[in-house]
Every structure is written in C-alpha cells, then in structure tokens.
Amino acid sequence: TALLVDGALLLDLTPGPAFAAARAGHSIAGVRQVLLSHPHDGPTVEFPAGLPAPGRVADGRELAVISGHRVRAVALDAPGTGYEVGGPEGER
C-alpha cells in the first residue's frame, strides 16, 4: 500500500506507483518527498525516474517538506515507522 498526500508526498513505494496513481486519476509528477514506513528485506524496490530517492525519518524526528507539509515519525508496536502528516495550512 502506498499513500499519495496532496500530490506532493508519497508514503511507501509499491510496484507501479505511477500506474496506480494514474488509475486513480492522479499524477506523481509533483511528488517532492518519498518516505518509507515498512522495513524491506528483499531486493531494492524500483521507483520511477524523476521521483526523489526514498528515505525514512527516525522515530520522534520531524521533517519539513518543500511543499509545506510537516511529517513527524512515530514509533509503532510492529516493525516500521508511522508518520503523522500536517498540511501546509496546518491540517492533519
């Protein structure tokens, strides 16, 4: 599962994110940040050209995205990272 937030923030990569977005009537051309939430032990997931390299935010840290979104990483009860996302206008 991947989540596209306001066309600017992509949480997780799944196979074919550009095709999945297109099927839902969206484009990933405006994505400014890609964050991973699940640990990945297999081969590297390919991501479309033009997307920023995926990264991860350490638990408890906050990241300001150029789009104006703010992302805070929260610890989970399972392996991985949860993200609390705030929009440019302060909505969550």
Side-chain angles (χ1 to χ4, degrees):
T1 302
L3 177 67
L4 180 61
V5 180
D6 296 336
L9 175 63
L10 181 61
L11 300 178
D12 277 331
L13 283 172
T14 56
F19 296 121
R23 281 192 304 271
H26 300 281
S27 169
I28 60 171
V31 170
R32 300 289 179 246
Q33 184 74 52
V34 179
L35 295 175
L36 303 175
S37 65
H38 299 290
H40 186 71
D41 296 331
T44 304
V45 175
E46 292 184 27
F47 56 97
L51 276 185
R56 188 179 300 275
V57 179
D59 290 349
R61 298 292 198 132
E62 191 169 292
L63 172 72
V65 182
I66 194 168
S67 62
H69 293 83
R70 297 191 73 72
V71 180
R72 188 171 68 84
V74 294
L76 301 176
D77 291 337
T81 304
Y83 294 108
E84 179 181 288
V85 179
E89 304 298 323
E91 66 279 12
R92 294 183 354 172

